[in-house]
Amino acid sequence: MEGGSTIVITSASDIIVARELGRKIGKELNFSLTDLTIIATVISELARNIIVFAKQGNIVIETIRQGKKVGIVITAIDKGPGIPDIFLAMQDGYSTGKGLGLGLPGVRRLVDEFEIFSETAKGTKVLAKKWLL
Amino acid sequence: MEVPILKQSDYLIATIQAALTDEDLLKLHYALVEQVGKHRSKGVIIDVTSLDIMDSFATRTLRSLVHMVKLRGADTVICGIQPEVAFTMVQLGLTLEGISTALDLEEGLALLFKSNNKKRKI
Ligand SMILES: Nc1ncnc2c1ncn2[C@@H]1O[C@H](COP(=O)(O)OP(=O)(O)O)[C@@H](O)[C@H]1O
Ligand SMILES: [Mg+2]
């Protein structure tokens, strides 16, 4: 694991800051334009969830190396209300808000590795990994 | 950055910039609904050529914008969705069902012109 960048997410404008940074880091790693769009979209969805459901939290963007493989990890962490039923939250179209309910399941489809941890009243952590192929 | 709205005869053209904030989107919403009435516009084009990402929030907002404009009696065409943006939208599961799209501004205008002519004949 190499050094990462943390962006504090408290308002909608922080979403833009975070996704621009993700794009920049991805570009330095030589990700394709499609992958950069995916990275920015993943950050946008996860940061949006932080604002809507937890009010505030962090987006951490890290570069990872495993042997010859290079990748990017996006971690969204908050100390919000947590997700009572992760299985439900991962279903297409499920939203407890006014959203389309496609953020979490969509992010899972967009990346190579996806993990989600959540505990009611403690918070949520979502990890999304994209490898440079 | 606020979205500029250009009036061209019966149509309005809104050109969206890269770093579109939530506030810009909401402002565009209000401005378009107001201007459609003021100019009695027949159609609206939303040019998203410079938009480098379309997440579920932007999609939902655009959908409701199109719906609102429709209630004001005008059609909307969204044009210029970039290939990598389209690819990402499909994987996310985002659709623009029932909304007209076009490759670019020219094709978008042609589409509005055609549907407007059809309406006149009826
Ligand atoms: N960070 C979070 N904290 C608490 N609940 C969350 C968080 N992220 C997602 N959720 C829950 O999971 C559901 C699905 O999320 P998502 O797929 O992004 O859809 P949407 O944001 O459109 O509701 C949300 O409606 C919400 O109930
Ligand atoms: Mg969401």
Side-chain angles (χ1 to χ4, degrees):
Chain A
M1 206 65 66
E2 291 171 26
S5 310
T6 301
I7 306 103
V8 179
I9 307 291
T10 53
S11 76
S13 57
D14 298 325
I15 301 177
I16 294 178
V17 174
R19 72 186 190 213
E20 290 307 315
L21 187 66
R23 214 180 255 281
K24 184 169 160 274
I25 293 171
K27 206 170 180 175
E28 283 162 7
L29 293 176
N30 269 324
F31 272 102
S32 69
L33 185 54
T34 300
D35 281 346
L36 294 178
T37 307
I38 288 173
I39 290 164
T41 308
V42 164
I43 293 172
S44 203
E45 292 294 341
L46 298 181
R48 169 82 51 197
N49 281 354
I50 288 178
I51 298 223
V52 173
F53 301 106
K55 301 261 190 308
Q56 56 178 296
N58 290 335
I59 293 281
V60 183
I61 305 169
E62 288 162 304
T63 302
I64 41 162
R65 279 170 216 278
Q66 219 174 68
K68 279 187 180 166
K69 278 206 303 187
V70 179
I72 194 166
V73 190
I74 295 140
T75 313
I77 314 157
D78 66 65
K79 294 193 171 74
I83 305 174
D85 189 336
I86 291 180
F87 178 80
L88 258 186
M90 291 305 300
Q91 302 302 305
D92 274 342
Y94 177 83
S95 173
T96 57
K98 286 181 288 182
L100 297 174
L102 290 170
L104 290 178
V107 165
R108 177 157 68 177
R109 282 190 288 270
L110 284 173
V111 297
D112 299 315
E113 290 171 45
F114 178 92
E115 286 172 78
I116 180 164
F117 312 92
S118 193
E119 206 174 324
T120 311
K122 285 221 167 132
T124 302
K125 179 173 169 181
V126 183
L127 215 131
K129 244 182 241 184
K130 187 95 192 151
W131 293 107
L132 180 66
L133 293 177
Chain B
M1 208 189 336
E2 218 164 306
V3 180
I5 301 174
L6 200 94
K7 183 182 170 293
Q8 183 153 347
S9 65
D10 282 346
Y11 308 110
L12 295 175
I13 302 168
T15 310
I16 288 184
Q17 309 298 316
L20 186 76
T21 64
D22 296 2
E23 213 188 325
D24 296 336
L25 252 183
L26 287 176
K27 273 191 196 156
L28 175 67
H29 217 258
Y30 291 120
L32 272 181
V33 169
E34 192 223 12
Q35 292 203 28
V36 162
K38 189 167 133 200
H39 302 301
R40 308 202 155 266
S41 307
K42 300 279 182 283
V44 172
I45 290 199
I46 298 175
D47 185 355
V48 297
T49 306
S50 326
L51 202 60
D52 54 11
I53 163 179
M54 189 102 117
D55 59 9
S56 59
F57 177 81
T59 303
R60 181 166 60 92
T61 313
L62 273 183
R63 273 200 217 159
S64 87
L65 189 155
V66 171
H67 192 75
M68 198 94 88
V69 168
K70 181 100 207 153
L71 291 173
R72 298 284 281 159
D75 293 324
T76 304
V77 174
I78 293 178
C79 77
I81 297 179
Q82 293 304 298
E84 58 281 357
V85 174
F87 176 81
T88 308
M89 284 177 73
V90 169
Q91 286 208 306
L92 256 180
L94 298 170
T95 56
L96 289 174
E97 253 162 78
I99 295 175
S100 306
T101 50
L103 205 53
D104 52 26
L105 192 60
E106 201 179 336
E107 196 178 283
L109 275 169
L111 207 66
L112 280 180
F113 200 64
K114 217 165 79 186
S115 77
N116 191 25
N117 272 349
K118 222 182 267 166
K119 263 189 221 158
R120 274 196 194 135
K121 275 185 207 144
I122 295 172

